[in-house]
Amino acid sequence: MSAESEKEAAARAAAALVRDGMTVGLGTGSTVKHFVIALAERGLRNLRCVATSPATEEQARGLGLPVEEFDRLERLDIAVDGADQIAPDGWIVKGGGGAHTREKIVAAASNRFVVIADASKVVDALRAPIPLEILPYGATATLAALHPALPRDAPPSPDGGLIADFHGDVSDPDALAARLSAMPGIVDHGLFPPSLTSDVIIARGGEIERRAR
Ligand code: 5RP
């Protein structure tokens, strides 16, 4: 089974978790594209969705899903998103598409945060790079303080943040996440702690593996 088929299978399993009337957070990336299609195909009439990127918003609207601004909702029932790395202890790296700040806000506001992935995303231990979003003001100083970190050749986030990557030691994600969160100038980073995720759905070959918190 190709990675693309695995992404679709994981996405379809997640779409089945959504019930009519729910508020739904839509992540970003190629796996989420399958989820948005699968969700739209369910034909649920009373969903309220928020999107973590303009690309997801455009796709969802194009398929008839109602997307609203995320300043009108306090909580979400469920959010579904992809991942770049999934470690055995539940730590996840996100932000391959530079959307991790919005993705983390949506995840934290969700009663159930579901991560969907093909089998290639499962790793024995997290490794660099760790995506960063950095405030443009003083970005050179912020990156220098983070050494080794490099700006990514990518457009700024929809909120104006510079997208960069931390290339240093990732062996203690808890300590690294705390360090990155405490650094002035970092808007957010792509380390998602196990406590943020309710379910991980991994498609491997024809099988679906489910990990629940
Ligand atoms: C975007 C993300 C994506 O969810 C992550 O990069 C996985 O992407 P894909 O589903 O295309 O492999 O975090 O910021």
Side-chain angles (χ1 to χ4, degrees):
M1 198 181 221
S2 67
E4 212 53 37
S5 307
E6 289 181 346
K7 288 178 187 190
E8 184 179 353
R12 290 201 172 277
L17 301 176
V18 180
R19 291 190 302 278
D20 206 7
M22 279 185 162
T23 48
V24 186
L26 307 173
T28 291
S30 57
T31 316
V32 166
K33 278 187 185 166
H34 290 291
F35 172 72
V36 172
I37 292 168
L39 185 61
E41 283 177 2
R42 291 205 49 208
L44 304 175
R45 303 236 165 248
N46 299 300
L47 296 179
R48 296 177 70 184
C49 301
V50 299
T52 54
S53 64
T56 298
E57 180 171 349
E58 190 183 331
Q59 185 203 5
R61 283 193 202 280
L63 292 171
L65 290 170
V67 181
E68 53 191 275
E69 294 298 317
F70 194 26
D71 53 9
R72 295 171 44 182
L73 295 167
E74 285 186 2
R75 293 289 299 168
L76 298 168
D77 293 307
I78 190 167
V80 177
D81 208 342
D84 300 309
Q85 300 180 53
I86 301 168
D89 58 4
W91 276 93
I92 285 172
V93 174
K94 290 185 47 53
H100 50 281
T101 298
R102 288 187 173 197
E103 292 172 335
K104 199 180 280 183
I105 293 169
V106 163
S110 300
N111 295 335
R112 189 173 186 183
F113 179 52
V114 181
V115 169
I116 53 176
D118 63 274
S120 73
K121 305 299 178 53
V122 176
V123 297
D124 291 335
L126 298 186
R127 52 184 176 257
I130 301 299
L132 304 168
E133 181 169 348
I134 291 179
L135 206 68
Y137 181 85
T140 304
T142 304
L143 285 170
L146 268 172
H147 183 77
L150 292 169
R152 199 188 291 177
D153 185 14
S157 80
D159 307 299
L162 179 78
I163 303 302
D165 291 290
F166 174 75
H167 290 273
D169 180 20
V170 188
S171 58
D172 185 345
D174 214 340
L176 178 60
R179 179 182 162 218
L180 295 175
S181 294
M183 274 197 68
I186 296 184
V187 180
D188 216 330
H189 55 82
L191 281 166
F192 281 47
S195 57
L196 210 48
T197 306
S198 316
D199 311 63
V200 178
I201 300 177
I202 299 156
R204 184 179 283 106
E207 304 287 314
I208 295 283
E209 181 191 337
R210 293 170 190 269
R211 301 179 185 174
R213 171 155 51 90

